[in-house]
Amino acid sequence: MAGQLGVRLPAEATDRRAAYQNGFQDDGLLLAFLLPASKVDAFVTGLAPEDELTRRDDPLQQSFKPTTPFSHLGLAEPETLPDVREGQVCAPCEGDLNSLEIAVHSLDERSSRVYLRGVD
């Protein structure tokens, strides 16, 4: 899945989870993994997001039903979690990928879960 998203998965990534959902017009690609907190900034910088990631301290209050939910992977949606940095990596992206978004949820001082959602 990392290859389809155009992402190089860090060697330190653990608890790797991925899904591919065939859609009517677009396909959804999900990739989530745990990364040591000390490696997160380097990973995000390597993706070269369009803008700096924004920090959201509180979960979104509105009901959120993504087209390609991370619940397929047994995970909470990043929009429903507190202490998340998020943003657009690319739209449009190079190759077949239409867009790629990232969310980083800090689990504790040692690790964070990285969520990547792409549209192909």
Short mmCIF file of all heavy atoms in Angstrom, two decimals, residues 1-2 5 7 9-10 13-19 29-35 40 43-44 47 49 53 56 64 66 68-90 99-107 111-119:
data_model
loop_
_atom_site.label_atom_id
_atom_site.label_comp_id
_atom_site.label_asym_id
_atom_site.label_seq_id
_atom_site.Cartn_x
_atom_site.Cartn_y
_atom_site.Cartn_z
N MET A 1 0.83 -1.19 0.00
CA MET A 1 0.00 0.00 0.00
C MET A 1 0.87 1.25 0.00
O MET A 1 0.53 2.23 -0.63
CB MET A 1 -0.92 -0.02 1.22
CG MET A 1 -1.97 1.06 1.17
SD MET A 1 -3.07 1.00 -0.23
CE MET A 1 -3.80 -0.59 -0.04
N ALA A 2 1.99 1.19 0.72
CA ALA A 2 2.88 2.35 0.77
C ALA A 2 3.32 2.74 -0.64
O ALA A 2 3.37 3.93 -0.98
CB ALA A 2 4.09 2.05 1.65
N LEU A 5 0.67 4.61 -2.47
CA LEU A 5 0.52 5.96 -1.93
C LEU A 5 1.74 6.83 -2.23
O LEU A 5 1.73 8.02 -1.95
CB LEU A 5 0.28 5.91 -0.42
CG LEU A 5 -1.07 5.35 0.02
CD1 LEU A 5 -1.08 5.14 1.53
CD2 LEU A 5 -2.20 6.26 -0.41
N VAL A 7 4.68 6.48 -0.74
CA VAL A 7 5.27 6.74 0.57
C VAL A 7 6.28 5.65 0.89
O VAL A 7 6.01 4.47 0.64
CB VAL A 7 4.16 6.76 1.66
CG1 VAL A 7 4.74 6.85 3.03
CG2 VAL A 7 3.19 7.89 1.40
N LEU A 9 7.72 3.61 3.75
CA LEU A 9 7.40 3.27 5.13
C LEU A 9 8.68 3.19 5.95
O LEU A 9 9.61 2.48 5.57
CB LEU A 9 6.67 1.93 5.16
CG LEU A 9 5.86 1.60 6.38
CD1 LEU A 9 4.74 2.62 6.61
CD2 LEU A 9 5.24 0.22 6.23
N PRO A 10 8.77 3.93 7.05
CA PRO A 10 9.98 3.89 7.88
C PRO A 10 10.22 2.49 8.45
O PRO A 10 9.27 1.78 8.80
CB PRO A 10 9.69 4.89 9.01
CG PRO A 10 8.56 5.72 8.52
CD PRO A 10 7.77 4.87 7.59
N ALA A 13 8.51 1.65 11.73
CA ALA A 13 7.05 1.57 11.79
C ALA A 13 6.61 0.19 12.28
O ALA A 13 7.09 -0.83 11.81
CB ALA A 13 6.45 1.85 10.42
N THR A 14 5.70 0.19 13.24
CA THR A 14 5.15 -1.05 13.77
C THR A 14 3.63 -0.99 13.67
O THR A 14 3.06 0.05 13.34
CB THR A 14 5.57 -1.29 15.23
OG1 THR A 14 5.10 -0.20 16.03
CG2 THR A 14 7.09 -1.41 15.35
N ASP A 15 2.97 -2.08 14.00
CA ASP A 15 1.51 -2.17 13.94
C ASP A 15 0.99 -1.60 12.63
O ASP A 15 0.11 -0.74 12.59
CB ASP A 15 0.87 -1.47 15.15
CG ASP A 15 -0.62 -1.77 15.26
OD1 ASP A 15 -1.08 -2.80 14.71
OD2 ASP A 15 -1.34 -0.97 15.89
N ARG A 16 1.55 -2.08 11.54
CA ARG A 16 1.20 -1.60 10.19
C ARG A 16 -0.14 -2.18 9.77
O ARG A 16 -0.37 -3.37 9.89
CB ARG A 16 2.27 -2.04 9.21
CG ARG A 16 3.64 -1.54 9.57
CD ARG A 16 4.68 -2.20 8.73
NE ARG A 16 6.02 -1.75 9.14
CZ ARG A 16 7.12 -2.11 8.54
NH1 ARG A 16 7.08 -2.92 7.50
NH2 ARG A 16 8.28 -1.67 8.97
N ARG A 17 -1.01 -1.31 9.27
CA ARG A 17 -2.34 -1.73 8.82
C ARG A 17 -2.65 -1.00 7.52
O ARG A 17 -2.39 0.19 7.39
CB ARG A 17 -3.41 -1.39 9.86
CG ARG A 17 -3.13 -2.00 11.23
CD ARG A 17 -4.22 -1.64 12.19
NE ARG A 17 -3.83 -1.92 13.57
CZ ARG A 17 -4.69 -1.98 14.56
NH1 ARG A 17 -5.97 -1.78 14.35
NH2 ARG A 17 -4.26 -2.23 15.79
N ALA A 18 -3.23 -1.73 6.57
CA ALA A 18 -3.54 -1.13 5.27
C ALA A 18 -4.82 -1.71 4.71
O ALA A 18 -5.20 -2.85 5.01
CB ALA A 18 -2.38 -1.38 4.31
N ALA A 19 -5.49 -0.92 3.88
CA ALA A 19 -6.71 -1.38 3.21
C ALA A 19 -6.85 -0.66 1.88
O ALA A 19 -6.39 0.49 1.73
CB ALA A 19 -7.94 -1.12 4.08
N LEU A 29 -7.48 4.41 -0.39
CA LEU A 29 -6.30 3.71 0.10
C LEU A 29 -6.02 4.18 1.51
O LEU A 29 -5.96 5.39 1.77
CB LEU A 29 -5.09 4.02 -0.79
CG LEU A 29 -5.20 3.60 -2.25
CD1 LEU A 29 -5.78 4.73 -3.07
CD2 LEU A 29 -3.83 3.25 -2.79
N LEU A 30 -5.86 3.24 2.43
CA LEU A 30 -5.59 3.56 3.83
C LEU A 30 -4.29 2.90 4.26
O LEU A 30 -4.03 1.75 3.91
CB LEU A 30 -6.71 3.04 4.73
CG LEU A 30 -8.11 3.56 4.51
CD1 LEU A 30 -9.08 2.85 5.45
CD2 LEU A 30 -8.16 5.06 4.73
N LEU A 31 -3.52 3.62 5.04
CA LEU A 31 -2.31 3.08 5.64
C LEU A 31 -2.16 3.74 7.01
O LEU A 31 -2.26 4.96 7.13
CB LEU A 31 -1.09 3.37 4.78
CG LEU A 31 0.27 2.89 5.29
CD1 LEU A 31 0.30 1.37 5.42
CD2 LEU A 31 1.38 3.36 4.36
N ALA A 32 -1.97 2.93 8.04
CA ALA A 32 -1.76 3.46 9.39
C ALA A 32 -0.67 2.63 10.05
O ALA A 32 -0.55 1.42 9.79
CB ALA A 32 -3.04 3.39 10.20
N PHE A 33 0.12 3.28 10.89
CA PHE A 33 1.20 2.59 11.59
C PHE A 33 1.64 3.41 12.79
O PHE A 33 1.35 4.60 12.87
CB PHE A 33 2.39 2.31 10.66
CG PHE A 33 2.90 3.53 9.93
CD1 PHE A 33 3.90 4.31 10.47
CD2 PHE A 33 2.39 3.88 8.69
CE1 PHE A 33 4.37 5.43 9.80
CE2 PHE A 33 2.86 4.99 8.01
CZ PHE A 33 3.86 5.77 8.57
N LEU A 34 2.31 2.73 13.71
CA LEU A 34 2.90 3.41 14.87
C LEU A 34 4.33 3.77 14.54
O LEU A 34 5.04 3.02 13.87
CB LEU A 34 2.87 2.50 16.10
CG LEU A 34 1.51 2.15 16.66
CD1 LEU A 34 1.65 1.20 17.83
CD2 LEU A 34 0.76 3.40 17.08
N LEU A 35 4.75 4.92 15.05
CA LEU A 35 6.10 5.40 14.81
C LEU A 35 6.62 6.03 16.10
O LEU A 35 5.87 6.72 16.79
CB LEU A 35 6.07 6.45 13.69
CG LEU A 35 7.34 6.76 12.94
CD1 LEU A 35 7.94 5.52 12.29
CD2 LEU A 35 7.07 7.80 11.87
N VAL A 40 8.70 10.98 13.92
CA VAL A 40 7.52 11.49 13.25
C VAL A 40 7.83 12.73 12.40
O VAL A 40 7.44 12.82 11.24
CB VAL A 40 6.39 11.79 14.26
CG1 VAL A 40 5.25 12.55 13.61
CG2 VAL A 40 5.89 10.50 14.88
N PHE A 43 9.58 11.95 9.20
CA PHE A 43 8.69 11.29 8.25
C PHE A 43 7.79 12.32 7.57
O PHE A 43 7.65 12.33 6.35
CB PHE A 43 7.85 10.21 8.94
CG PHE A 43 6.86 9.58 8.02
CD1 PHE A 43 7.28 8.66 7.07
CD2 PHE A 43 5.52 9.90 8.09
CE1 PHE A 43 6.36 8.08 6.19
CE2 PHE A 43 4.60 9.34 7.22
CZ PHE A 43 5.02 8.42 6.27
N VAL A 44 7.17 13.19 8.36
CA VAL A 44 6.27 14.21 7.81
C VAL A 44 7.04 15.13 6.86
O VAL A 44 6.57 15.43 5.75
CB VAL A 44 5.58 15.01 8.93
CG1 VAL A 44 4.82 16.20 8.37
CG2 VAL A 44 4.65 14.10 9.73
N LEU A 47 7.58 13.75 3.44
CA LEU A 47 6.41 13.76 2.56
C LEU A 47 6.23 15.09 1.86
O LEU A 47 5.52 15.17 0.86
CB LEU A 47 5.14 13.44 3.35
CG LEU A 47 5.02 12.05 3.93
CD1 LEU A 47 3.73 11.93 4.74
CD2 LEU A 47 5.05 10.99 2.85
N PRO A 49 4.55 18.03 2.76
CA PRO A 49 3.15 18.46 2.65
C PRO A 49 3.04 19.85 2.04
O PRO A 49 3.96 20.67 2.13
CB PRO A 49 2.66 18.46 4.09
CG PRO A 49 3.79 18.11 4.96
CD PRO A 49 4.98 17.82 4.12
N LEU A 53 1.34 21.13 8.81
CA LEU A 53 0.20 20.45 9.40
C LEU A 53 -0.42 21.32 10.48
O LEU A 53 0.28 22.00 11.22
CB LEU A 53 0.63 19.11 10.00
CG LEU A 53 1.25 18.09 9.06
CD1 LEU A 53 1.51 16.78 9.80
CD2 LEU A 53 0.41 17.85 7.84
N ARG A 56 -4.94 20.07 15.98
CA ARG A 56 -6.29 20.10 16.51
C ARG A 56 -6.24 19.42 17.87
O ARG A 56 -5.91 18.25 17.99
CB ARG A 56 -7.26 19.35 15.58
CG ARG A 56 -8.68 19.37 16.04
CD ARG A 56 -9.62 18.75 15.03
NE ARG A 56 -9.11 17.60 14.31
CZ ARG A 56 -9.02 16.36 14.81
NH1 ARG A 56 -9.41 16.12 16.04
NH2 ARG A 56 -8.56 15.36 14.08
N PHE A 64 -18.82 12.46 11.68
CA PHE A 64 -17.89 12.32 10.57
C PHE A 64 -17.98 10.91 10.03
O PHE A 64 -17.76 9.94 10.74
CB PHE A 64 -16.46 12.62 11.05
CG PHE A 64 -15.47 12.59 9.93
CD1 PHE A 64 -15.33 13.68 9.10
CD2 PHE A 64 -14.70 11.47 9.69
CE1 PHE A 64 -14.45 13.66 8.04
CE2 PHE A 64 -13.81 11.43 8.64
CZ PHE A 64 -13.68 12.53 7.81
N PRO A 66 -16.35 9.12 6.91
CA PRO A 66 -15.51 9.15 5.72
C PRO A 66 -15.92 8.08 4.70
O PRO A 66 -16.49 7.04 5.06
CB PRO A 66 -14.11 8.86 6.27
CG PRO A 66 -14.35 8.10 7.52
CD PRO A 66 -15.65 8.63 8.08
N THR A 68 -13.85 6.27 3.02
CA THR A 68 -12.97 5.13 3.32
C THR A 68 -12.55 5.23 4.78
O THR A 68 -11.57 5.87 5.11
CB THR A 68 -11.72 5.16 2.40
OG1 THR A 68 -12.14 5.34 1.06
CG2 THR A 68 -10.93 3.88 2.52
N PRO A 69 -13.31 4.58 5.68
CA PRO A 69 -13.03 4.72 7.10
C PRO A 69 -11.90 3.82 7.61
O PRO A 69 -11.73 2.71 7.14
CB PRO A 69 -14.36 4.34 7.75
CG PRO A 69 -15.00 3.42 6.77
CD PRO A 69 -14.53 3.85 5.41
N PHE A 70 -11.17 4.35 8.57
CA PHE A 70 -10.12 3.57 9.22
C PHE A 70 -10.70 2.47 10.11
O PHE A 70 -9.97 1.60 10.55
CB PHE A 70 -9.19 4.49 10.04
CG PHE A 70 -8.20 5.20 9.18
CD1 PHE A 70 -8.44 6.49 8.73
CD2 PHE A 70 -7.01 4.59 8.81
CE1 PHE A 70 -7.53 7.14 7.93
CE2 PHE A 70 -6.09 5.23 8.01
CZ PHE A 70 -6.34 6.52 7.56
N SER A 71 -12.00 2.50 10.34
CA SER A 71 -12.62 1.42 11.11
C SER A 71 -12.44 0.09 10.40
O SER A 71 -12.47 -0.97 11.04
CB SER A 71 -14.10 1.71 11.37
OG SER A 71 -14.81 1.80 10.15
N HIS A 72 -12.23 0.11 9.08
CA HIS A 72 -11.91 -1.13 8.35
C HIS A 72 -10.65 -1.78 8.90
O HIS A 72 -10.44 -2.98 8.75
CB HIS A 72 -11.70 -0.85 6.86
CG HIS A 72 -12.93 -0.54 6.10
ND1 HIS A 72 -14.04 -1.35 6.10
CD2 HIS A 72 -13.24 0.50 5.29
CE1 HIS A 72 -14.98 -0.82 5.33
NE2 HIS A 72 -14.52 0.29 4.84
N LEU A 73 -9.80 -0.97 9.52
CA LEU A 73 -8.53 -1.46 10.07
C LEU A 73 -8.60 -1.65 11.59
O LEU A 73 -7.59 -1.90 12.23
CB LEU A 73 -7.40 -0.48 9.74
CG LEU A 73 -7.19 -0.18 8.26
CD1 LEU A 73 -6.10 0.87 8.08
CD2 LEU A 73 -6.85 -1.44 7.49
N GLY A 74 -9.80 -1.47 12.16
CA GLY A 74 -9.95 -1.60 13.61
C GLY A 74 -9.46 -0.39 14.37
O GLY A 74 -9.11 -0.50 15.54
N LEU A 75 -9.43 0.76 13.71
CA LEU A 75 -8.92 2.00 14.33
C LEU A 75 -10.01 3.06 14.38
O LEU A 75 -10.93 3.08 13.56
CB LEU A 75 -7.74 2.55 13.51
CG LEU A 75 -6.52 1.65 13.39
CD1 LEU A 75 -5.55 2.22 12.37
CD2 LEU A 75 -5.86 1.48 14.74
N ALA A 76 -9.88 3.96 15.33
CA ALA A 76 -10.76 5.13 15.39
C ALA A 76 -10.40 6.08 14.26
O ALA A 76 -9.25 6.10 13.79
CB ALA A 76 -10.59 5.83 16.73
N GLU A 77 -11.36 6.85 13.81
CA GLU A 77 -11.08 7.85 12.78
C GLU A 77 -10.26 8.98 13.41
O GLU A 77 -10.55 9.41 14.52
CB GLU A 77 -12.39 8.42 12.23
CG GLU A 77 -13.31 7.39 11.63
CD GLU A 77 -12.65 6.55 10.55
OE1 GLU A 77 -11.91 7.09 9.72
OE2 GLU A 77 -12.89 5.33 10.55
N PRO A 78 -9.23 9.45 12.72
CA PRO A 78 -8.39 10.51 13.31
C PRO A 78 -9.19 11.77 13.64
O PRO A 78 -8.84 12.49 14.57
CB PRO A 78 -7.32 10.77 12.26
CG PRO A 78 -7.73 10.05 11.04
CD PRO A 78 -8.75 9.04 11.40
N GLU A 79 -10.28 12.01 12.92
CA GLU A 79 -11.10 13.20 13.18
C GLU A 79 -11.80 13.12 14.52
O GLU A 79 -12.24 14.14 15.06
CB GLU A 79 -12.13 13.38 12.05
CG GLU A 79 -11.53 13.70 10.71
CD GLU A 79 -10.99 12.47 9.96
OE1 GLU A 79 -11.16 11.33 10.44
OE2 GLU A 79 -10.38 12.66 8.91
N THR A 80 -11.93 11.92 15.07
CA THR A 80 -12.64 11.74 16.34
C THR A 80 -11.68 11.72 17.54
O THR A 80 -12.13 11.51 18.66
CB THR A 80 -13.44 10.42 16.34
OG1 THR A 80 -12.54 9.32 16.28
CG2 THR A 80 -14.40 10.36 15.17
N LEU A 81 -10.39 11.93 17.28
CA LEU A 81 -9.37 11.85 18.33
C LEU A 81 -8.87 13.24 18.74
O LEU A 81 -8.84 14.16 17.91
CB LEU A 81 -8.19 11.02 17.84
CG LEU A 81 -8.50 9.58 17.45
CD1 LEU A 81 -7.31 8.95 16.75
CD2 LEU A 81 -8.92 8.79 18.67
N PRO A 82 -8.42 13.40 19.98
CA PRO A 82 -7.79 14.66 20.40
C PRO A 82 -6.31 14.64 20.05
O PRO A 82 -5.74 13.59 19.75
CB PRO A 82 -7.98 14.65 21.92
CG PRO A 82 -7.93 13.19 22.26
CD PRO A 82 -8.59 12.47 21.10
N ASP A 83 -5.68 15.81 20.10
CA ASP A 83 -4.24 15.95 19.91
C ASP A 83 -3.77 15.33 18.60
O ASP A 83 -3.01 14.37 18.58
CB ASP A 83 -3.48 15.34 21.10
CG ASP A 83 -2.00 15.72 21.08
OD1 ASP A 83 -1.64 16.72 20.42
OD2 ASP A 83 -1.20 15.01 21.71
N VAL A 84 -4.26 15.90 17.50
CA VAL A 84 -3.94 15.41 16.16
C VAL A 84 -3.36 16.55 15.33
O VAL A 84 -3.85 17.67 15.38
CB VAL A 84 -5.21 14.84 15.47
CG1 VAL A 84 -4.94 14.48 14.02
CG2 VAL A 84 -5.72 13.64 16.23
N ARG A 85 -2.30 16.24 14.58
CA ARG A 85 -1.80 17.14 13.55
C ARG A 85 -2.24 16.55 12.22
O ARG A 85 -2.10 15.35 12.01
CB ARG A 85 -0.27 17.25 13.59
CG ARG A 85 0.24 17.94 14.82
CD ARG A 85 1.74 18.18 14.75
NE ARG A 85 2.47 16.92 14.63
CZ ARG A 85 3.65 16.79 14.04
NH1 ARG A 85 4.26 17.82 13.50
NH2 ARG A 85 4.26 15.61 14.00
N GLU A 86 -2.75 17.41 11.33
CA GLU A 86 -3.29 16.90 10.08
C GLU A 86 -3.11 17.88 8.95
O GLU A 86 -2.90 19.07 9.17
CB GLU A 86 -4.77 16.55 10.25
CG GLU A 86 -5.61 17.71 10.73
CD GLU A 86 -6.98 17.28 11.24
OE1 GLU A 86 -7.35 16.10 11.10
OE2 GLU A 86 -7.67 18.14 11.79
N GLY A 87 -3.20 17.34 7.73
CA GLY A 87 -3.09 18.21 6.57
C GLY A 87 -3.04 17.43 5.27
O GLY A 87 -3.00 16.20 5.25
N GLN A 88 -3.05 18.19 4.21
CA GLN A 88 -2.99 17.66 2.85
C GLN A 88 -1.53 17.49 2.46
O GLN A 88 -0.74 18.42 2.62
CB GLN A 88 -3.67 18.64 1.89
CG GLN A 88 -3.85 18.15 0.50
CD GLN A 88 -5.03 17.21 0.39
OE1 GLN A 88 -6.06 17.40 1.03
NE2 GLN A 88 -4.90 16.20 -0.43
N VAL A 89 -1.17 16.33 1.97
CA VAL A 89 0.19 16.12 1.46
C VAL A 89 0.24 16.58 0.01
O VAL A 89 1.10 17.36 -0.37
CB VAL A 89 0.62 14.65 1.59
CG1 VAL A 89 1.98 14.43 0.94
CG2 VAL A 89 0.66 14.24 3.06
N CYS A 90 -0.70 16.09 -0.79
CA CYS A 90 -0.75 16.52 -2.20
C CYS A 90 -2.15 16.35 -2.74
O CYS A 90 -2.89 15.47 -2.33
CB CYS A 90 0.25 15.72 -3.04
SG CYS A 90 0.03 13.93 -2.97
N SER A 99 -5.15 12.33 -4.43
CA SER A 99 -4.88 13.13 -3.24
C SER A 99 -4.35 12.23 -2.13
O SER A 99 -4.58 11.02 -2.13
CB SER A 99 -6.13 13.88 -2.76
OG SER A 99 -7.10 12.96 -2.29
N LEU A 100 -3.65 12.86 -1.20
CA LEU A 100 -3.11 12.15 -0.03
C LEU A 100 -3.18 13.08 1.17
O LEU A 100 -2.71 14.22 1.10
CB LEU A 100 -1.67 11.72 -0.28
CG LEU A 100 -0.96 10.99 0.87
CD1 LEU A 100 -1.69 9.69 1.22
CD2 LEU A 100 0.49 10.71 0.51
N GLU A 101 -3.80 12.59 2.24
CA GLU A 101 -3.91 13.34 3.49
C GLU A 101 -3.19 12.58 4.59
O GLU A 101 -3.14 11.34 4.55
CB GLU A 101 -5.38 13.51 3.89
CG GLU A 101 -6.18 14.32 2.90
CD GLU A 101 -7.65 14.38 3.27
OE1 GLU A 101 -8.09 13.62 4.17
OE2 GLU A 101 -8.37 15.17 2.65
N ILE A 102 -2.69 13.31 5.57
CA ILE A 102 -2.02 12.70 6.71
C ILE A 102 -2.62 13.23 8.00
O ILE A 102 -3.05 14.39 8.07
CB ILE A 102 -0.49 12.97 6.69
CG1 ILE A 102 0.21 12.21 7.82
CG2 ILE A 102 -0.20 14.46 6.74
CD1 ILE A 102 1.72 12.24 7.76
N ALA A 103 -2.68 12.37 8.99
CA ALA A 103 -3.04 12.76 10.35
C ALA A 103 -2.08 12.03 11.28
O ALA A 103 -1.75 10.85 11.05
CB ALA A 103 -4.48 12.39 10.67
N VAL A 104 -1.60 12.72 12.29
CA VAL A 104 -0.68 12.13 13.26
C VAL A 104 -1.28 12.32 14.64
O VAL A 104 -1.53 13.45 15.07
CB VAL A 104 0.71 12.81 13.19
CG1 VAL A 104 1.64 12.19 14.23
CG2 VAL A 104 1.30 12.71 11.79
N HIS A 105 -1.54 11.20 15.31
CA HIS A 105 -2.14 11.24 16.65
C HIS A 105 -1.09 10.82 17.66
O HIS A 105 -0.57 9.70 17.61
CB HIS A 105 -3.34 10.29 16.72
CG HIS A 105 -3.94 10.18 18.06
ND1 HIS A 105 -4.09 8.99 18.73
CD2 HIS A 105 -4.43 11.13 18.90
CE1 HIS A 105 -4.65 9.20 19.89
NE2 HIS A 105 -4.86 10.49 20.03
N SER A 106 -0.78 11.71 18.57
CA SER A 106 0.19 11.42 19.62
C SER A 106 -0.45 10.52 20.67
O SER A 106 -1.41 10.90 21.32
CB SER A 106 0.65 12.74 20.26
OG SER A 106 1.54 12.48 21.31
N LEU A 107 0.08 9.30 20.79
CA LEU A 107 -0.45 8.35 21.78
C LEU A 107 0.10 8.63 23.16
O LEU A 107 -0.61 8.55 24.15
CB LEU A 107 -0.13 6.92 21.36
CG LEU A 107 -0.71 6.49 20.02
CD1 LEU A 107 -0.22 5.11 19.64
CD2 LEU A 107 -2.23 6.54 20.07
N SER A 111 5.33 7.47 21.38
CA SER A 111 4.88 7.02 20.06
C SER A 111 3.65 7.77 19.57
O SER A 111 2.88 8.33 20.35
CB SER A 111 4.61 5.52 20.08
OG SER A 111 3.57 5.23 20.97
N SER A 112 3.50 7.73 18.26
CA SER A 112 2.36 8.34 17.58
C SER A 112 1.86 7.39 16.52
O SER A 112 2.62 6.60 15.96
CB SER A 112 2.77 9.66 16.90
OG SER A 112 3.14 10.63 17.84
N ARG A 113 0.56 7.49 16.22
CA ARG A 113 0.00 6.73 15.10
C ARG A 113 -0.12 7.68 13.92
O ARG A 113 -0.65 8.77 14.03
CB ARG A 113 -1.37 6.14 15.43
CG ARG A 113 -1.89 5.28 14.28
CD ARG A 113 -3.12 4.50 14.59
NE ARG A 113 -3.03 3.65 15.75
CZ ARG A 113 -2.47 2.44 15.78
NH1 ARG A 113 -1.90 1.95 14.71
NH2 ARG A 113 -2.47 1.74 16.90
N VAL A 114 0.40 7.22 12.79
CA VAL A 114 0.33 7.98 11.55
C VAL A 114 -0.79 7.37 10.70
O VAL A 114 -0.85 6.16 10.52
CB VAL A 114 1.68 7.92 10.78
CG1 VAL A 114 1.56 8.62 9.45
CG2 VAL A 114 2.80 8.51 11.63
N TYR A 115 -1.68 8.23 10.22
CA TYR A 115 -2.80 7.82 9.37
C TYR A 115 -2.59 8.47 7.99
O TYR A 115 -2.40 9.68 7.90
CB TYR A 115 -4.12 8.37 9.90
CG TYR A 115 -4.59 7.83 11.22
CD1 TYR A 115 -4.13 8.37 12.43
CD2 TYR A 115 -5.53 6.81 11.26
CE1 TYR A 115 -4.60 7.88 13.64
CE2 TYR A 115 -6.00 6.32 12.48
CZ TYR A 115 -5.53 6.87 13.66
OH TYR A 115 -6.00 6.40 14.85
N LEU A 116 -2.62 7.67 6.96
CA LEU A 116 -2.56 8.19 5.59
C LEU A 116 -3.81 7.73 4.84
O LEU A 116 -4.14 6.55 4.86
CB LEU A 116 -1.30 7.67 4.88
CG LEU A 116 0.02 8.14 5.47
CD1 LEU A 116 1.17 7.33 4.87
CD2 LEU A 116 0.22 9.62 5.22
N ARG A 117 -4.48 8.69 4.20
CA ARG A 117 -5.68 8.38 3.42
C ARG A 117 -5.48 8.94 2.02
O ARG A 117 -5.29 10.14 1.84
CB ARG A 117 -6.93 8.98 4.06
CG ARG A 117 -8.21 8.68 3.29
CD ARG A 117 -9.43 9.32 3.93
NE ARG A 117 -9.87 8.54 5.08
CZ ARG A 117 -10.16 9.05 6.27
NH1 ARG A 117 -10.05 10.34 6.48
NH2 ARG A 117 -10.58 8.27 7.24
N GLY A 118 -5.51 8.06 1.04
CA GLY A 118 -5.32 8.48 -0.35
C GLY A 118 -6.56 8.18 -1.18
O GLY A 118 -7.36 7.30 -0.86
N VAL A 119 -6.68 8.90 -2.27
CA VAL A 119 -7.74 8.67 -3.26
C VAL A 119 -7.05 8.46 -4.59
O VAL A 119 -6.22 9.26 -5.01
CB VAL A 119 -8.71 9.88 -3.34
CG1 VAL A 119 -9.74 9.67 -4.44
CG2 VAL A 119 -9.39 10.11 -2.01
#
